[in-house]
Amino acid sequence: MSKQLHLKTHVLEDSIVEDSIRALCTLITEGPVKGFIAGGIGVQSYVPQEFHRETIDLDFDMAWGGGVAEYRSLLTPVISALEREGYTIEFAKMGFTYDLHVRKDGDSFMIQHRRRSPTNYERLRKNSLEREVSNRRTISRDDLVYPVLSPEDLVAHKIARIIRFRDNFGCHVPNDPVEVLRLEADLFREAIVSQSSDFDDEAIAQMRV
């Protein structure tokens, strides 16, 4: 996907990631709708640097559901903050996400939020998202202070994703002692790759978010 979007891969310590987090804080901590950093960058916020894994995107979530016009309005201070730092911003409405492509001096990154209608938010996610917001943690890294989804909720999200992959593609999920976990993880990865030609891109995108 990174090649298709011409996006670079990054870890938490990279300046474009830190600048993106600072910009998001104008919304998710200072704005009218509260939220948190999630996904891979959320995980990196808790683990030592040697375990950081490169990613092309910064996932965040808010206790919110609405249409594209309202979302773009909410993101106005985020976009303005990034533009003041010299970044150019491209907005994309995808099948399951709203994406901001952030670029400067040949570097690039993506800020991503899950799409959900007001009806689906009220019916399916309002209570859980409000709980996740109330349970978020504040991370401090030098002069960067930002809210992150709690460790237990990050783990719950990862487990839910694994279960969806298992149920949809019939892949074996590692359930072995720690000493063979790496081998089992490699076998799991190979099982996924071997079936990649049979995967539906839209189904994978939906499971991923």
Side-chain angles (χ1 to χ4, degrees):
M1 183 169 63
S2 62
K3 291 182 179 180
Q4 295 174 347
L5 298 175
H6 306 290
L7 297 173
K8 307 286 187 181
T9 57
H10 291 282
V11 292
L12 175 59
E13 294 75 23
D14 293 341
S15 60
I16 193 170
V17 179
E18 292 188 343
D19 288 343
S20 296
I21 292 173
R22 286 191 182 90
L24 274 177
C25 284
T26 64
L27 170 61
I28 59 178
T29 61
E30 304 168 18
V33 181
K34 304 308 178 188
F36 45 77
I37 304 300
I41 296 298
V43 172
Q44 292 182 36
S45 300
Y46 293 109
V47 301
Q49 186 172 348
E50 58 264 30
F51 297 114
H52 290 185
R53 182 170 62 90
E54 290 186 335
T55 178
I56 64 167
D57 59 16
L58 170 61
D59 298 311
F60 80 104
D61 213 340
M62 304 180 287
W64 171 84
V68 60
E70 183 181 359
Y71 181 78
R72 297 190 72 155
S73 177
L74 286 171
L75 267 287
T76 297
V78 177
I79 294 172
S80 297
L82 287 166
E83 288 177 340
R84 285 195 296 272
E85 296 299 321
Y87 293 97
T88 58
I89 309 299
E90 301 170 12
F91 175 83
K93 178 185 176 182
M94 308 304 289
F96 299 102
T97 60
Y98 294 126
D99 298 348
L100 287 183
H101 298 168
V102 182
R103 306 180 191 275
K104 183 171 75 170
D105 298 333
D107 203 359
S108 56
F109 197 49
M110 180 166 64
I111 300 173
Q112 190 171 76
H113 187 276
R114 182 76 160 92
R115 285 181 57 193
R116 61 178 70 93
S117 69
T119 300
N120 284 343
Y121 170 69
E122 291 289 336
R123 184 167 57 92
L124 301 175
R125 287 289 277 140
K126 184 176 187 294
N127 291 339
S128 59
L129 273 169
E130 288 180 348
R131 184 198 58 77
E132 289 172 356
V133 167
S134 68
N135 196 40
R136 65 185 182 174
R137 306 292 196 272
T138 298
I139 298 296
S140 179
R141 297 172 49 85
D142 298 325
D143 63 337
L144 181 61
V145 179
Y146 59 101
V148 182
L149 185 64
S150 70
E152 57 269 28
D153 285 321
L154 281 166
V155 170
H157 284 210
K158 293 296 184 182
I159 291 173
R161 183 181 298 177
I162 289 172
I163 291 172
R164 288 197 296 270
F165 263 94
R166 182 199 64 189
D167 292 346
N168 280 271
F169 302 115
C171 296
H172 169 63
V173 179
N175 184 26
D176 297 286
V178 173
E179 59 268 20
V180 296
L181 183 58
R182 285 191 177 87
L183 175 60
E184 289 290 329
D186 288 340
L187 293 174
F188 181 58
R189 188 179 301 109
E190 290 173 7
I192 292 289
V193 172
S194 70
Q195 300 182 54
S196 60
S197 61
D198 300 325
F199 292 174
D200 179 82
D201 291 342
E202 184 171 318
I204 292 175
Q206 186 174 26
M207 286 188 295
R208 186 173 182 274
V209 298

